[in-house]
């Protein structure tokens, strides 16, 4: 985002929006953690960039689109938790940055049974044509 003002421009980096989204996501009831996945680990290794775990953002001049990969707690109503997650992330980004959030996409990649237990990750099967 770049905004013209009398004294210059204001730019908000994509990583800043990703951090806001990640914090808002972890503050949502029913969300255990963010899911980084294997490809994100490879991207961090190859590029050397500090990729925000489980968050992908596309930021334009006035709009933003957010993709989240999350792990939920066992026993929560996944659809309700994800809808609340979308609301929380949208409000946090819009309030802090002034950007209009056009979409918040959520992909649930695992279930955590209890805080101290291991996470059961759902692996997608490769599609054969």
């Amino acid at each position: 985002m770049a905004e013209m003002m009398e004294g210059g421009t204001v730019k908000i980096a994509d990583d800043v929006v990703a951090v806001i989204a990640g914090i808002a996501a972890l503050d949502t009831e029913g969300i255990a953690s963010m899911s980084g996945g294997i490809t994100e680990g490879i991207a961090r290794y190859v590029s050397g960039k500090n990729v925000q775990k489980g968050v992908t953002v596309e930021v334009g001049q006035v709009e933003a689109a957010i993709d989240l990969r999350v792990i939920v707690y066992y026993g929560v109503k996944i659809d309700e938790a994800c809808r609340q997650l979308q609301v929380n992330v949208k409000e946090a980004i819009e309030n802090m940055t002034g950007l209009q959030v056009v979409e918040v996409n959520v992909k649930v990649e695992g279930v955590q049974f209890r805080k101290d237990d291991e996470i059961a990750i759902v692996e997608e099967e490769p599609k054969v044509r």
Side-chain angles (χ1 to χ4, degrees), residues 6-22:
E6 289 180 26
T9 62
V10 175
K11 294 181 181 182
I12 300 174
D14 292 2
D15 288 348
V16 171
V17 176
V19 168
I20 294 168

Side-chain angles (χ1 to χ4, degrees), residues 57-119:
V57 299
E58 292 181 34
V59 179
Q61 293 295 324
V62 294
E63 296 179 334
I66 315 299
D67 293 322
L68 303 170
R69 295 181 316 280
V70 299
I71 297 169
V72 298
Y73 285 118
Y74 177 80
V76 302
K77 293 186 178 188
I78 294 174
D79 61 329
E80 290 177 13
C82 290
R83 298 234 186 280
Q84 188 60 51
L85 171 61
Q86 290 172 315
V87 169
N88 291 352
V89 168
K90 181 178 183 344
E91 287 179 355
I93 292 171
E94 288 181 347
N95 290 337
M96 292 184 71
T97 66
L99 291 167
Q100 178 186 2
V101 177
V102 293
E103 63 183 27
V104 178
N105 302 307
V106 179
K107 180 177 181 184
V108 177
E109 291 190 340
V111 175
Q112 185 169 325
F113 297 102
R114 280 178 264 146
K115 282 191 171 190
D116 297 331
D117 285 348
E118 289 186 24
I119 298 167

